[in-house]
Amino acid sequence: MKTKFYITTPIYYPSAKLHIGHAYSTVVTDVFARYKRLAGVPTYFLTGTDEHGQKIQETAEKNGKSPQQFVDDVVVGIKELWSKMRISYDDFIRTTEPRHEKVVQQIFSQLLKQDDIYLSKYQGWYCKFCESFWTDTQIGEAKVCPDCKRAVHPEAEDAYFFRMSKYADRLMDYYQKNPLFITPESRKNEMINTFIKPGLEDLCVSRTSFSWGVKVKEDPRHVVYVWLDALTNYITALGYGSAKPELYEKFWKDPQSEVIHIVGSDITRFHVIYWPIFLMALGLRLPDRVFAHGLLMMKDAKMSKSKGNVIDPLPLMEKYGVDTVRYYLVRETVFGGDGQFSPEQFVERINTDLANDFGNLLNRTINMVNKYFQGVVPNFQGPISEFDHQLSSLTSQSIQDYQTLMNQLLITEAYAKVNQLVARANKYIDETQPWNLAKDPGKLKALQVVMHQLIYTLYVAGTLYQPILVTTSDAFFLQLGTKEKPTLKAIADPKVVNGLKLNPPIPLFPRLDPLIEVPFIQSTILKK
Ligand code: MSP
C-alpha cells in the first residue's frame, strides 16, 4: 500500500452555474480524500476550473464581459458552492493563473524542441462567417456550417500537431502492466477498441481561430489546445516546473504517492490516452488510476441546461442540509454506472437510511443507556450471547471491509457495508430485547454487554460515515459524549467507548414527508 495520496476532480468549465452532476464528481472525490485523512494517510486534494477556449470566449462576449471578467465572476459562485458543500480541497487551480500558464508554455516548448510537436497544416471545412473549421461528419451531406447553415469550403491552416501514434505501444503496455489504470473495466475496452486499435491519429494541439488561451511562445498567433492546457493542471498546481516543486515531488514524483484522477465517463479518453502520452513524452510518471464515473441523468434525458432539466444542489442543501445531499449523491448511484436523479428516490433514501436506520439506532440506544445506566456507557466485557458474538464480529469485519473497498475506490460497496452494519444493530436490539434484560437483576451483565456493544457499533458506523456526513457528525459524536471525532485507528478497539457520558438524543435526520417534499424538489428544477 502506498504511503501518500493525491486525488483530483476534473477542472470545471466556468461557462455557467454548476449543477448536481458536477457536484457528484466533487463530492465523491471529497469523500475519498476525507477517508484517506481519517486513515492517517497524508493526502492532497485538488480541484479547479478550466478557463480557456473558444466556448468561454464566446459566452463571455454574449454576456458583454471580457473573458477574464466573465470567468472571475463565475468562479466566485463555484467556490461558494464548494464551500457550502463542505468540499475539503487543498488547492483550487484556475488555468488562467500565471503559475499554470507559464508552465504550459514551458511544456509546449519542451515538446516542440523534442519534436513530439511539429508544425503542419490543419485540413478541414471552413466557415468564413463563423471563422470555424468543421470535420466531414460535422458538415454532413449538405456541406454547410452546423452553426449558421452557410456553405463551407475546404481550407487548411497552420497548426501544431502532437505525434500520438509514436506512444501507442507504450500506452498499451502500461494498460497491461497496470490493470486497474482505467476503471470500470468496460471503459478500458471501449478506449482500446474505439481509439487505440484503429490507430491513434496525431492530435492538433494549437488553434489560431480564437485568442482566449495560452499563447505558444514560439509562435504567438497560436494558442495551446484547451485539453493540453487543462490536463497539465494536475501537475502545475503542485508546482511542477516552478521554483517551488516540493508538493510535486511529494505527491506526484514520489512513486510512494498514489495518484488518482476521478473523471466523468464523457472525458475518459482525454485522461487515459492523451494525458498519459503527454506525461510519457515529458518523461514523467503516470497516474495510478483514472476512475470514470457515470453521468447523472433525469428521468428521460441527460441533465443539461439547454434541455431545462437541471437540478441545482443549493435549494436542496438549504432545505435538507448539506449532509443529506452528499449522502444521496454517494449512496444512490452505483459508482461507475450512470445514475438517475429522482425526487422520490431522494426522499426515500434519506428516510430509509438516515432517518429510520441510522437515526433510530442512535435514538433508541441513547434512550436505553440513559434509562438503564444513567447515560454512562458500561465498560467492555466481551460478547456473551450468540447475538453478541454475531454483532461483534460483524462490526470488526465491517471496519476491515470498508477500508479494503474504499482503497479500491468501491465506494458504493463500502457504504453498503456500513448500512448493513446499522441494519444488523437494529435487529440486534429486537433479538436481545434489552427491556426484558432490564427487568431481571441477574441479567445485569448481559444488559451491560448489549448496551456497550450498541454504542460501540454506533461509534464505528458514525466514524465510517464521517467522510460523507460532515456536519451532522459533530452533533452525532456530541450525543455520544465525545467532542473529538475518532480516527479509523481508534475505532478498532471496543474499549474506546468505555465510560462515555452520553448527551440527550436529538434527531439528526427528521423524516421527510414525500407528499410535501417531492413537489418541492420538483419545483427547484432549473428550467430553461
Ligand atoms: N473542463 C473539462 C474537464 C477538464 S479536466 C482536465 C470538462 N468540464 S465540464 O465542466 O464540462 O465537466 C466536468 C465534469 O463534470 C466531467 O467529469 C463531467 O463528466 C462531469 N459532469 C457533467 N455533467 C454531469 C452529470 N450530469 N453527471 C455526472 N457528472 C457530470 O469536461
Side-chain angles (χ1 to χ4, degrees):
M1 182 93 102
K2 299 203 175 188
T3 55
K4 288 175 281 186
F5 189 69
Y6 177 43
I7 192 159
T8 65
T9 70
I11 51 171
Y12 300 93
Y13 291 128
S15 47
K17 227 171 132 182
L18 299 188
H19 57 65
I20 206 153
H22 304 109
Y24 177 63
S25 262
T26 310
V27 167
V28 170
T29 310
D30 184 57
V31 172
F32 283 123
R34 286 176 182 268
Y35 155 68
K36 282 288 174 177
R37 293 189 198 113
L38 201 61
V41 179
T43 295
Y44 203 78
F45 166 19
L46 177 72
T47 190
T49 37
D50 184 0
E51 305 191 351
H52 291 126
Q54 191 166 12
K55 234 188 180 165
I56 302 266
Q57 185 175 331
E58 286 170 1
T59 318
E61 275 160 18
K62 271 186 213 143
N63 282 273
K65 292 183 185 176
S66 72
Q68 191 64 56
Q69 189 56 55
F70 177 75
V71 292
D72 284 352
D73 292 346
V74 178
V75 166
V76 172
I78 294 180
K79 285 190 170 170
E80 248 170 47
L81 174 64
W82 294 159
S83 147
K84 287 193 175 138
M85 295 203 92
R86 303 286 298 259
I87 304 302
S88 63
Y89 58 77
D90 294 291
D91 196 4
F92 188 107
I93 178 110
R94 300 181 54 186
T95 54
T96 51
E97 288 175 74
R99 62 169 171 157
H100 174 78
E101 291 190 338
K102 212 174 124 211
V103 182
V104 172
Q105 285 187 325
Q106 270 167 232
I107 287 174
F108 197 96
S109 299
Q110 182 186 336
L111 297 173
L112 193 63
K113 216 152 116 205
Q114 285 172 198
D115 193 38
D116 277 308
I117 288 178
Y118 60 94
L119 184 62
S120 179
K121 291 250 181 251
Y122 181 83
Q123 313 268 357
W125 296 93
Y126 192 67
C127 169
K128 265 197 196 140
F129 184 78
C130 299
E131 297 178 33
S132 299
F133 270 95
W134 304 104
T135 61
D136 288 345
T137 33
Q138 284 168 324
I139 59 165
E141 281 186 5
K143 293 201 177 7
V144 292
C145 168
D147 270 357
C148 72
K149 312 291 176 213
R150 290 179 173 82
V152 288
H153 309 281
E155 224 174 285
E157 69 169 16
D158 280 355
Y160 288 90
F161 285 82
F162 185 99
R163 295 186 202 281
M164 282 286 155
S165 50
K166 180 175 154 190
Y167 293 94
D169 290 346
R170 274 175 65 188
L171 185 65
M172 281 301 286
D173 194 49
Y174 188 76
Y175 288 178
Q176 227 140 42
K177 293 197 174 115
N178 299 275
L180 289 179
F181 176 59
I182 312 172
T183 31
E185 185 81 15
S186 55
R187 306 271 182 224
K188 172 154 82 184
N189 301 334
E190 182 190 329
M191 291 298 128
I192 296 176
N193 294 331
T194 322
F195 300 108
I196 305 183
K197 277 209 181 128
L200 278 183
E201 285 176 20
D202 285 359
L203 178 73
C204 181
V205 288
S206 77
R207 296 287 188 273
T208 50
S209 50
F210 62 91
S211 58
W212 181 238
V214 178
K215 292 217 167 354
V216 172
K217 225 173 26 195
E218 292 75 3
D219 196 349
R221 287 176 305 143
H222 295 254
V223 293
V224 175
Y225 172 49
V226 72
W227 275 97
L228 174 55
D229 168 0
L231 288 161
T232 56
N233 90 88
Y234 300 130
I235 53 176
T236 60
L238 295 178
Y240 167 76
S242 78
K244 277 194 181 160
E246 290 78 11
L247 284 170
Y248 167 76
E249 272 156 20
K250 181 170 174 189
F251 286 104
W252 191 281
K253 194 171 174 200
D254 185 347
Q256 274 313 306
S257 177
E258 185 177 18
V259 174
I260 293 185
H261 298 309
I262 303 291
V263 302
S265 53
D266 54 334
I267 57 172
T268 316
R269 173 166 58 111
F270 302 99
H271 284 82
V272 304
I273 299 178
Y274 300 163
W275 178 226
I277 288 183
F278 293 149
L279 287 166
M280 282 178 193
L282 293 168
L284 305 180
R285 68 123 345 147
L286 268 49
D288 293 287
R289 298 193 59 176
V290 173
F291 193 102
H293 64 70
L295 301 183
L296 281 194
M297 327 276 239
M298 293 303 277
K299 213 178 262 162
D300 16 271
K302 193 182 163 205
M303 215 179 276
S304 91
K305 243 195 124 195
S306 53
K307 287 202 188 88
N309 64 353
V310 168
I311 294 283
D312 179 356
L314 283 173
L316 296 190
M317 291 194 300
E318 269 156 27
K319 182 131 195 228
Y320 309 115
V322 52
D323 287 357
T324 55
V325 177
R326 288 172 62 98
Y327 184 81
Y328 174 80
L329 287 175
V330 172
R331 192 64 189 86
E332 184 65 21
T333 301
V334 175
F335 191 48
D338 285 338
Q340 199 190 82
F341 182 92
S342 118
E344 291 82 2
Q345 283 301 110
F346 180 87
V347 170
E348 164 94 15
R349 181 57 81 181
I350 301 312
N351 280 347
T352 309
D353 294 6
L354 298 182
N356 289 359
D357 288 1
F358 189 49
N360 263 347
L361 180 66
L362 179 70
N363 232 268
R364 288 166 94 187
T365 306
I366 294 187
N367 278 330
M368 289 190 287
V369 177
N370 282 344
K371 191 162 167 197
Y372 306 136
F373 298 106
Q374 293 76 50
V376 180
V377 181
N379 284 348
F380 173 69
Q381 306 175 73
I384 308 174
S385 73
E386 187 48 33
F387 298 131
D388 301 339
H389 278 285
Q390 285 173 9
L391 182 62
S392 162
S393 59
L394 185 70
T395 308
S396 28
Q397 192 60 47
S398 302
I399 303 175
Q400 291 302 323
D401 291 349
Y402 169 82
Q403 294 185 70
T404 310
L405 292 164
M406 285 297 273
N407 289 337
Q408 295 170 355
L409 306 182
L410 296 170
I411 193 168
T412 312
E413 291 80 350
Y415 277 100
K417 292 277 175 199
V418 188
N419 293 157
Q420 277 161 20
L421 178 66
V422 170
R424 184 69 190 83
N426 272 317
K427 190 165 160 231
Y428 173 78
I429 300 181
D430 304 336
E431 289 165 343
T432 54
Q433 304 190 347
W435 47 92
N436 283 334
L437 298 177
K439 286 182 197 147
D440 181 352
K443 301 262 172 67
L444 178 65
K445 188 174 170 190
L447 183 64
Q448 287 170 336
V449 168
V450 170
M451 288 303 122
H452 173 276
Q453 218 161 266
L454 282 171
I455 293 286
Y456 174 55
T457 307
L458 267 168
Y459 204 79
V460 167
T463 304
L464 305 184
Y465 277 139
Q466 245 191 81
I468 304 181
L469 305 180
V470 293
T471 53
T472 34
S473 70
D474 285 340
F476 173 86
F477 283 106
L478 211 62
Q479 290 187 32
L480 289 191
T482 166
K483 269 202 190 112
E484 238 167 73
K485 289 195 253 177
T487 61
L488 277 182
K489 215 168 151 200
I491 58 169
D493 181 1
K495 292 196 282 299
V496 68
V497 297
N498 285 2
L500 287 179
K501 173 84 188 77
L502 309 185
N503 286 308
I506 306 159
L508 295 179
F509 304 100
R511 252 191 89 77
L512 307 179
D513 180 349
L515 291 178
I516 298 172
E517 307 311 336
V518 169
F520 169 78
I521 299 171
Q522 266 156 353
S523 76
T524 69
I525 297 177
L526 293 177
K527 304 275 186 291
K528 261 194 270 192

